Amino acid sequence: MFESHFGFSAPPFQLNPDPTFYFGSKGHSNALAYLQYGVHQAEGFIVVTGDIGAGKTTLVRTLLEGLDSTQVKAAQIASTQLDATGLLQAMLTAFGVPHQPGALSKASLISTLEAFFMTLAIKNKRALLVVDEAQNLSMDAIEELRMLSNFQLRKQALLQSFLVGQPELRGMLESQRLEQLRQRVIASCHLGPLDADETRRYIEHRLNRVGWKGNPSFELGAFQKIHQFSSGIPRRINLLCNRLLLSAFLEDLTGITEAHVLRIDRELRAEVGESTVVQAPFRRDAAAARQPVQREHAPDTAAVGLPMAPPARIASVASGRAPLHRIVRRDAAAYRRTVLCLVDSPASYLNAALFAAAVEGTKTASRVVVVSTVDARQLGPVENYAEIAGLPAVEIHFGIAEGSIAHRAAEASVCCEAMLDEFLPDLVVPVGGSDEVVSCALVASRSGVPLLRVGAGARPSRMFPAQRLNASLLDRMAAVLYAPDALAALALGQDGIAAEQVHVLGSLTQDGAAAANTASPLASALISHHGLSHGYVLVTARVGQGRLEVRLLSKLVLMLSRVRGDRPMLWLVCGETQSALRAQGLGSVLSRSGIALASMPVFSARLSILQRASCLLTDAADDLIEVGTALGTPMLLIDEEENAPVSTDRHAKWITLSAADLGIETSTTNPPPPAAATSTAAEAMALHLDGWLSQVEAGLQQSPEPAAVGRPRLKEASP
């Protein structure tokens, strides 16, 4: 009615969810990042909760519109007063599978669904089910969904499910009966209300989408009243603003004032019989949330994270796995503060060791506990690191075994929960970027422990979309972010992270690389032995341990001999690769091609060797990729199947085993690696962190409220 009067192209405040009007508030942007992370894992469950009108459906539809329909077949169920059999029938209808409702037995329904999912998988597609108002599902129906998630083809899950509902859905999922389903929750988020500034920007965003030219205008006080009366709930904002525009049209007004909002809100409340303003959901103070409470208290529903766990889960899951591997090198119990560092690779472990040594050396030293999600053997012997950095006082290794993403995420979450309850940390620092580290960070954030992000804003190559998504997600969760350079800080600003949270303090990886140059004479000796100095192509591809297959080794050697040209080439080989080369008689081919072959040295020496290289050529599982990204080293990753997508990253690309040239710019004039700096990034971080924690303790600076707060903890704090 009023659209043409104000020159709008469409109704700006319609109540039906519409992804074209999606507004990226901080809460909605974070939730979308969590969901994108969950969808990328291609299995398990994703849980979205929020109060009525918070924007759950709009958020999910925005996510679905961004999916590739050639890879994902999505279906949605909106009517959820269903038992298990009714849910199966509704799924067949939603996916468009021919059947006669009511004519099939439960077993037949399941078989029909499985056959449909298999057909999709053969076409390289997977099924995604969205269940709206999921809090209305029966327990049997939810358990049936869990059983359907067992469908697999070649270890690939055939069905992924979204459960979208009101806050009581979380209470249902906390029941002991749904323990197994909870362990398959890949991501969960809760949508809260908009704040006052977001409410104003939300209104202006929707008006601008329909061509608003400032008529009618809004007083600043009008925005404030709209937020007050709507409590920041998007649907309430839409309802109130729609009535305001209608009233302005009928009364021929060109501006909306505070008094106008007050009058229209009173009329609306009289119509629906509501006499008081609905208050925004209560949020506990973050510092209070970190105080350990008795486990029997109910968990806070305003949570974002994965997965949700009841008290019994800690004992049941922990009892079914090997004990944690704990290393205590010196007594650290006297420290007043505790910082937990999460690592998952040799590079992240070295960065954490450098960070720990600096933090423990400050005036008000903090205890640093390095927590590794992998087995200690995957990081290598301690001599890899001891010559570069002081080893952590305490380190703990989860040793999470191979398995599905959902299983590893659940196991990491359980182990991290135990660490939070044991050490009661003041801060958690995710140094690695794997799915397991993200799971631990989410648990810490949901428990009210603030996160500090080192290497913030630095993104892995576009060749690794999952790692890029994880890095972005970790940055969004952090209360304090240490960026390595101005470019990384700019990337954080573009992600909507406030400038006051970001501090450019340098790179821990560059710290470690510089220290390796002065501390590792082995690297210089090895390079000199082969008549090299710098500017060579470094090859670290290897067979075994889930990397290159032995049968491809001859193709690799042939490819290297073709691309060798005038560029010096050094190949570091492990014992298994060396034996395979010898067994296939490939050593003479390498020798004739002028490719230097050397035994794989310890990690610290590899760091130093990498810095002198003009290019790194390796397989996708190499632990030097993380370092090469931080140092800006051009990288070539071997594509075994020769069908990888073309990379748009000018510093990294896939290379096939039939390649005749490198196809990437490599420098032939690399200067010798620099000496270690007198002032390191680790020292700058430790100094800033010491001041920040002191301000938080003194109350001069608030500990930022994390994305989610308030999970109960296992035990009371020790006196």
Side-chain angles (χ1 to χ4, degrees), residues 407-423:
H407 173 79
R408 297 198 312 270
E411 192 165 2
S413 300
V414 169
C415 293
C416 182
E417 178 80 28
M419 295 300 97
L420 296 179
D421 288 314
E422 177 180 351
F423 293 105

Side-chain angles (χ1 to χ4, degrees), residues 446-463:
R446 190 173 64 230
S447 298
V449 183
L451 302 183
L452 181 148
R453 181 81 165 118
V454 299
R459 297 287 182 261
S461 167
R462 293 181 178 88
M463 298 162 66

Side-chain angles (χ1 to χ4, degrees), residues 131-159:
V131 183
D132 217 342
E133 300 300 332
Q135 76 278 357
N136 294 329
L137 287 174
S138 69
M139 285 289 192
D140 287 340
I142 295 178
E143 179 62 13
E144 196 66 57
L145 269 181
R146 200 268 304 174
M147 296 295 292
L148 292 176
S149 70
N150 289 328
F151 290 158
Q152 290 186 336
L153 180 65
R154 296 187 296 272
K155 297 184 178 181
Q156 174 62 49
L158 301 183
L159 175 67

Side-chain angles (χ1 to χ4, degrees), residues 26-43:
K26 182 177 180 181
H28 286 73
S29 295
N30 286 343
L32 186 60
Y34 280 93
L35 295 183
Q36 288 170 337
Y37 162 80
V39 170
H40 194 84
Q41 309 311 317
E43 65 172 338

Side-chain angles (χ1 to χ4, degrees), residues 1-6 11 246 249-250:
M1 181 180 292
F2 55 77
E3 290 84 5
S4 59
H5 175 76
F6 292 121
L246 177 61
F249 162 66
L250 295 174

Side-chain angles (χ1 to χ4, degrees), residues 37 432-434 438 453 455-460 465-477 481 492 495 497:
Y37 162 80
S434 65
V438 171
R453 181 81 165 118
R459 297 287 182 261
Q467 288 89 327
R468 287 178 67 87
L469 182 61
N470 285 357
S472 176
L473 186 57
L474 289 169
D475 288 346
R476 288 176 179 275
M477 285 192 288
L481 301 98
L492 293 171
D495 281 351
I497 294 173

Side-chain angles (χ1 to χ4, degrees), residues 345-388:
S345 66
S348 61
Y349 177 85
L350 176 58
N351 287 349
L354 291 166
F355 181 78
V359 168
E360 290 179 359
T362 56
K363 183 171 62 176
T364 54
S366 299
R367 168 176 64 169
V368 179
V369 179
V370 173
V371 175
S372 164
T373 61
V374 298
D375 191 284
R377 290 170 293 186
Q378 292 178 247
L379 301 179
V382 293
E383 57 264 27
N384 285 14
Y385 315 94
E387 61 185 8
I388 302 178

